[in-house]
Amino acid sequence: MKTLTCVIVDDEPLAVQLLESFVNKTPQLSLVASFTDSVEAMQHLTNEPVDLLFLDIQMPDVNGMELAHQLPPETFIIFTTAFREFAFESYEVNTVDFLLKPIRYTKFLNAVEKVVTRYEERENNHSQDAETTNSSVENNTSSSAKAGDSATSTFLRVDGELKRVDFSQILYVEGMKDYVMFYLDGERRPLITHLTMKAVEQMLPTDCFMRVNRSYIVALGKIRTIDRNLCLYIGDEIIRVTDMYKDAFNQYLNRQLPG
């Protein structure tokens, strides 16, 4: 695969130097620029987008979350911060990992490997004929809808093949622009297919699945824990219920509580 271009944004010069040293000894990465000023970084990234951004959150002028929302959805983000409480909010954007300072190289490398995996999966799927894929999946979605509540599975086109996926296998679905990733119980890598989140919502049974933010649909029966910030713990992921979806999710919770 190609070397991934990256940019570092952190208002602490020592933190920038450390990340630069990590990038320089990681062969999968090519450093384009580093910034201690988030406004300058945003101007640069607007004109010259990169594959990966290492981004601090608490910065003057424009903080990391504000900057992240301005990025194209193709840009992968690894947040780097000393404040654990920002972890939940970070998952509202295209976050691959969240590294707490002080950052060790082993943690850094693990996060980069996650990016490499997602990048390769995205490129493999982009090589497929998007029009054919969408047509096949939409046809299957219509069939599932006609089957009603009796449908227990669907077909997804992955790497040029149709794969049957049981609804009971699905942990959650993540949307990323023109494709979605189905994370399955017991599987290390997601299934990636060209499909819209709206089509996925129509495909999945509404009594078992719910959209909880712009990028995620979750299997309600797979939620292990719900914290006071309405962050859902499913598999290895933490997914936050955002304001737009809170009312519907709270109604679901009220139906589940005894009494």
Side-chain angles (χ1 to χ4, degrees):
M1 62 161 283
K2 76 159 193 169
T3 302
L4 300 180
T5 57
C6 64
V7 160
I8 297 167
V9 184
D10 197 308
D11 63 330
E12 299 176 9
L14 290 178
V16 170
Q17 291 177 21
L18 177 65
L19 289 171
E20 286 177 340
S21 71
F22 287 173
V23 170
N24 289 335
K25 62 181 179 180
T26 305
Q28 299 99 319
L29 301 179
S30 175
L31 184 62
V32 173
S34 298
F35 298 92
T36 55
D37 186 313
S38 56
V39 175
E40 289 183 6
M42 186 161 58
Q43 292 170 345
H44 175 88
L45 291 166
T46 299
N47 297 318
E48 300 181 45
V50 293
D51 298 314
L52 171 62
L53 182 62
F54 295 96
L55 181 59
D56 189 18
I57 294 183
Q58 194 169 54
M59 294 184 291
D61 298 323
V62 177
N63 67 41
M65 286 303 305
E66 291 170 335
L67 195 159
H69 281 288
Q70 303 303 313
L71 297 175
E74 296 86 357
T75 304
F76 296 111
I77 300 171
I78 296 176
F79 279 107
T80 59
T81 181
F83 300 94
R84 185 183 297 274
E85 59 267 27
F86 289 123
F88 304 125
E89 187 179 0
S90 72
Y91 285 94
E92 293 183 6
V93 292
N94 191 11
T95 309
V96 177
D97 214 337
F98 184 93
L99 299 178
L100 282 174
K101 299 176 181 177
I103 300 168
R104 294 179 295 166
Y105 183 62
T106 53
K107 294 286 188 181
F108 174 92
L109 196 57
N110 286 338
V112 170
E113 289 297 333
K114 292 181 184 179
V115 175
V116 170
T117 297
R118 288 199 185 185
Y119 180 86
E120 290 177 339
E121 289 168 343
R122 183 174 71 187
E123 291 304 298
N124 287 338
N125 280 273
H126 281 173
S127 66
Q128 305 296 324
D129 185 347
E131 183 176 350
T132 301
T133 300
N134 280 328
S135 176
S136 298
V137 178
E138 292 293 344
N139 288 340
N140 183 66
T141 301
S142 298
S143 298
S144 295
K146 290 176 183 177
D149 293 339
S150 62
T152 60
S153 66
T154 190
F155 282 100
L156 299 176
R157 184 174 290 277
V158 180
D159 294 332
E161 299 178 342
L162 287 174
K163 293 190 176 183
R164 181 186 292 277
V165 176
D166 291 336
F167 294 146
S168 61
Q169 292 179 274
I170 300 172
L171 294 172
Y172 57 91
V173 181
E174 180 181 4
M176 298 180 70
K177 198 178 179 181
D178 57 348
Y179 64 97
V180 294
M181 298 188 292
F182 284 75
Y183 288 82
L184 307 181
D185 201 358
E187 297 291 334
R188 187 172 66 88
R189 292 190 175 188
L191 299 180
I192 303 180
T193 187
H194 286 273
L195 192 61
T196 64
M197 289 292 279
K198 182 177 180 181
V200 175
E201 285 186 281
Q202 294 172 347
M203 175 195 303
L204 299 175
T206 56
D207 57 338
C208 299
F209 294 88
M210 181 178 292
R211 190 166 184 174
V212 295
N213 66 48
R214 183 181 62 180
S215 301
Y216 287 92
I217 297 170
V218 303
L220 298 170
K222 303 291 186 179
I223 301 172
R224 300 195 317 273
T225 305
I226 305 170
D227 70 17
R228 61 185 177 183
N229 296 310
L230 279 188
C231 290
L232 316 179
Y233 293 72
I234 303 178
D236 296 326
E237 191 65 272
I238 302 172
I239 300 170
R240 186 177 184 184
V241 182
T242 55
D243 290 342
M244 183 183 300
Y245 301 92
K246 279 184 179 178
D247 287 345
F249 189 77
N250 281 326
Q251 290 175 17
Y252 160 75
L253 283 183
N254 290 334
R255 293 195 299 268
Q256 305 305 307
L257 295 174

